[in-house]
Amino acid sequence: MTTKPELMKRMVKGPDGLEFEVDPLRDYYCEAPPTVMPGAYIQIVEDFFNWARSKSLWILGFGTGCGAIEMRPLMTPRFDAYRFGVAWRPTPRQANLFIISGYLSTKTLKRAIRAYEQMQNPKYVIGLGSCTINGGMYWDSYNTIKKLDEYLPVDLYIAGCMPRPEALLAGFEEMKKIIRTGKAEGANQYAENFAWYKANQKRVIHDWDMPDYNW
Amino acid sequence: MRELYARLKALYPLGELTEQRKNLAFVTVPAAHLRDTLLHLRDKEGFTHLVLLTAVDWLEEGQFQLTYLLNNRALACDLGLRVLIQRDTATMESIHDLWPTAATYQRELREMFGIDFPGSPRIEEEFILEGWNSIPPYRRDFDTLKYAQEAYAERPGRVTHDPETHMRLQMYPGQHPAGK
Ligand code: SF4
């Protein structure tokens, strides 16, 4: 692993004039890999949690490919996705649904992984458009991945190139059903198969210069 | 355009003029005369704007063709200077001191075609790609499909339809696919 200069150990001078050592990888990031979150102690409570979770879909406003353009009309009065109880947030810390909206170049994949890992559990991923499913029209491109679920746990795919806003709305309803039935276990899958996901990610991201886990 | 070409031709050893439109033409310049020609066009002929700098890979001829497209605002016309360089050495003089924007194009060309422009600012840095580990992807001997198949996991079951046959079947089911 080659480390970015800003991630290297260095001496820093504080505002009070004191010098101290900073090791960003240890001080700013959590080294521990993600762990599986057990369900509630009794199924009925877990069901209740899942019902509540399905009512709060907070989407990370990170558009990765051309499909992202279809998310904009959803935020406007014409389609008004907010009436379905979904909302967009500007930061991964405040979001629990990551919509990979189309093709991911390896460069964007790197950012998408960082963003995904910074989201809080329980978290969900929707793959939007054929590009996330089998490469779509970027199937022979030299820098886009072709199968999203090799790199991030995907709960739901919405097919189309590009899917219309109505398809996304249907997708949200489908996502809620998946959450309510307790099948949206992406974050736990990610934790369970962490090594497998990391190996896949590192196979395509050649200049891995960040911590293994970006939490 | 013809007059301009005649004026230039008297000064520099130019190739044929290819007129694409009334206000767009291309001409070949030997690499050694590029800088002088560009300077002359910029300072004396009013071609003050570098529109783009791009390359073509003439693999069979063993050459790269660089195209410097210049624009004359007042006359609303474009002139492209073509320079042929050796593909194996793939080095060209940098013109970032004539147009600072050229540095960006040169970085791109270096990354995508592997053409070096010694002395150009930040030419060594990665431009768009991160951690690229193969030959420059815009070179024609780079096999994009093969690279994509080797580098990126695929989902089995992908099929490609011939658009014409597929649409015929969709719109006129029952008819023989090849039926005319
Ligand atoms: S599926 Fe189509 S619309 Fe979506 S990112 Fe790919 S090419 Fe663009």
Side-chain angles (χ1 to χ4, degrees):
Chain A
M1 167 171 151
T2 50
T3 315
K4 281 187 197 156
E6 67 258 33
L7 290 182
M8 303 231 197
K9 244 192 232 177
R10 58 178 182 268
M11 294 303 284
V12 175
K13 197 165 182 180
D16 49 4
L18 273 182
E19 287 216 3
F20 56 94
E21 194 189 62
V22 167
D23 181 3
L25 283 182
R26 258 204 17 248
D27 300 345
Y28 299 164
Y29 295 90
C30 169
E31 276 181 330
T35 48
V36 177
M37 302 287 286
Y41 56 96
I42 178 170
Q43 190 56 37
I44 192 164
V45 177
E46 179 68 13
D47 287 349
F48 170 69
F49 282 172
N50 281 333
W51 171 81
R53 284 165 187 155
S54 77
K55 301 276 172 195
S56 352
L57 289 182
W58 298 68
I59 300 167
L60 174 60
F62 176 11
T64 63
C66 23
I69 209 77
E70 298 293 322
M71 285 207 272
R72 275 59 180 168
L74 283 168
M75 305 176 194
T76 59
R78 173 144 183 224
F79 292 102
D80 186 14
Y82 295 93
R83 73 201 143 114
F84 292 94
V86 296
W88 279 263
R89 299 306 298 167
T91 146
R93 300 288 191 211
Q94 300 171 359
N96 66 355
L97 174 58
F98 196 174
I99 299 186
I100 304 289
S101 47
Y103 61 82
L104 269 184
S105 68
T106 49
K107 196 169 167 176
T108 321
L109 175 67
K110 193 162 149 187
R111 278 76 184 170
I113 291 166
R114 294 198 66 168
Y116 176 74
E117 291 180 349
Q118 287 176 23
M119 286 161 61
Q120 314 213 34
N121 278 5
K123 50 190 171 186
Y124 319 107
V125 177
I126 289 184
L128 180 69
S130 358
C131 282
T132 54
I133 302 172
N134 63 6
M137 68 182 226
Y138 293 95
W139 62 287
D140 62 349
S141 162
Y142 57 87
N143 66 349
T144 58
I145 56 151
K146 292 184 280 189
K147 189 166 172 268
L148 179 59
D149 43 88
E150 291 273 316
Y151 313 98
L152 289 174
V154 181
D155 297 290
L156 175 75
Y157 281 112
I158 302 176
C161 176
M162 47 186 58
R164 284 194 43 89
E166 291 93 331
L168 258 156
L169 289 177
F172 293 146
E173 288 306 295
E174 196 57 39
M175 189 70 230
K176 289 181 192 170
K177 269 188 224 153
I178 297 174
I179 297 174
R180 271 201 299 276
T181 49
K183 291 198 189 112
E185 284 291 313
N188 283 345
Q189 256 177 37
Y190 193 68
E192 259 168 39
N193 307 310
F194 192 62
W196 183 78
Y197 280 110
K198 278 298 146 193
N200 287 346
Q201 293 167 358
K202 287 186 180 176
R203 197 169 303 132
V204 295
I205 301 174
H206 302 300
D207 65 330
W208 191 277
D209 55 0
M210 53 185 187
D212 265 6
Y213 187 51
N214 282 288
W215 170 239
Chain B
M1 225 30 131
R2 295 229 152 256
E3 294 152 31
L4 170 71
Y5 178 65
R7 283 203 298 279
L8 280 180
K9 180 103 197 181
L11 296 169
Y12 307 106
L14 303 182
E16 282 297 296
L17 183 76
T18 318
E19 272 183 294
Q20 218 80 17
R21 291 196 307 259
K22 255 208 337 266
N23 56 358
L24 173 68
F26 294 91
V27 66
T28 315
V29 190
H33 290 277
L34 174 76
R35 171 170 289 267
D36 296 344
T37 319
L38 285 174
L39 267 173
H40 180 84
L41 282 166
R42 188 187 73 174
D43 298 338
K44 307 260 161 63
E45 299 286 353
F47 284 84
T48 48
H49 174 50
L50 175 72
V51 183
L52 57 83
L53 164 54
T54 182
V56 181
D57 183 359
W58 297 105
L59 179 61
E60 290 77 7
E61 283 82 23
Q63 284 178 322
F64 280 123
Q65 171 197 312
L66 294 170
T67 304
Y68 297 77
L69 191 65
L70 304 184
N71 173 265
N72 184 327
R73 254 340 284 146
L75 304 178
C77 71
D78 294 295
L79 178 66
L81 297 187
R82 290 177 175 154
V83 177
L84 289 163
I85 57 171
Q86 280 304 314
R87 201 171 178 281
D88 43 7
T89 47
T91 309
M92 183 62 199
E93 187 191 355
S94 168
I95 57 152
H96 66 272
D97 48 334
L98 307 187
W99 283 278
T101 42
T104 308
Y105 288 115
Q106 289 171 171
R107 269 179 77 194
E108 184 188 26
L109 289 176
R110 154 124 177 178
E111 182 162 278
M112 302 313 255
F113 284 94
I115 302 173
D116 197 10
F117 295 86
S120 187
R122 300 170 67 197
I123 191 82
E124 304 285 332
E125 285 174 39
E126 287 178 323
F127 183 56
I128 301 172
L129 304 171
E130 283 182 350
W132 184 251
N133 60 357
S134 185
I135 60 172
Y138 282 2
R139 288 199 173 201
R140 275 179 52 224
D141 47 0
F142 173 73
D143 189 339
T144 313
L145 180 57
K146 186 159 154 277
Y147 183 86
Q149 280 164 347
E150 281 165 8
Y152 306 114
E154 280 180 30
R155 190 182 305 281
R158 190 194 156 91
V159 284
T160 306
H161 295 290
D162 168 46
E164 194 196 339
T165 326
H166 183 71
M167 285 318 288
R168 201 188 297 282
L169 276 173
Q170 292 282 312
M171 293 166 72
Y172 314 105
Q175 199 180 322
H176 189 268
K180 287 261 154 80

